[in-house]
Amino acid sequence: MASQPTEKKAKQSALSYLRAWGESPVPPTILATLITSLHARPLQPLPLSFPPVLLASTFLNLYSYTTDSAGITAAWSGLYLLLARRRKPEHMMQKFGTRGIVRGTTMGVCGINVLAGGWVYATGKKADEGESAR
């Protein structure tokens, strides 16, 4: 019988998952989509000021400014989280209806963005820091 090679894969830690989430351009795009779906109808101008900034953060991330993008995403996600927590649903159906589920998902993504983006921004190196040290 031929022996099969056994490969052991290293498990990723929670911090590596946070780093991967914070360096990805997808979470700010998803958050911008969820915020737009909540506040476009009826039109609410203040919450709709968040998606353009989050999409600009995605643009920065795609141009290899991952640390700066993570900081912007964390800051604006935290601001939106503070804004969204002010509103309290009055009835049980408002919590578990379609809008309530989307709102809860949006606030959850905001919380994860604050943690992951803050971690990447706090521990990451900026592109111009490495060149000035040499």
Side-chain angles (χ1 to χ4, degrees):
M1 289 191 181
S3 63
Q4 296 177 353
T6 58
E7 293 180 12
K8 292 185 179 180
K9 292 185 180 180
K11 291 185 178 181
Q12 287 187 337
S13 68
L15 294 179
S16 63
Y17 281 114
L18 273 179
R19 177 166 294 285
W21 181 277
E23 290 178 346
S24 174
V26 176
T29 307
I30 291 172
L31 185 59
T33 304
L34 290 171
I35 291 172
T36 303
S37 69
L38 281 173
H39 301 290
R41 198 164 192 192
L43 184 67
Q44 298 171 346
L46 180 61
L48 281 178
S49 64
F50 288 84
V53 176
L54 292 168
L55 292 175
S57 173
T58 301
F59 180 76
L60 285 174
N61 195 329
L62 292 174
Y63 276 92
S64 300
Y65 294 103
T66 55
T67 304
D68 298 326
S69 170
I72 292 170
T73 300
W76 283 83
S77 294
L79 285 174
Y80 182 80
L81 190 60
L82 288 175
L83 180 72
R85 284 184 49 98
R86 293 186 331 169
R87 181 179 164 266
K88 301 285 184 194
E90 296 176 12
H91 305 300
M92 188 61 82
M93 282 306 294
Q94 288 181 337
K95 287 183 182 178
F96 297 109
T98 305
R99 284 184 73 89
I101 292 171
V102 172
R103 180 176 178 266
T105 304
T106 304
M107 291 176 69
V109 170
C110 279
I112 294 170
N113 280 349
V114 168
L115 288 175
W119 175 253
V120 170
Y121 189 74
T123 61
K125 283 190 169 186
K126 293 185 180 181
D128 57 351
E129 281 182 3
E131 293 172 6
S132 63
R134 293 181 186 179

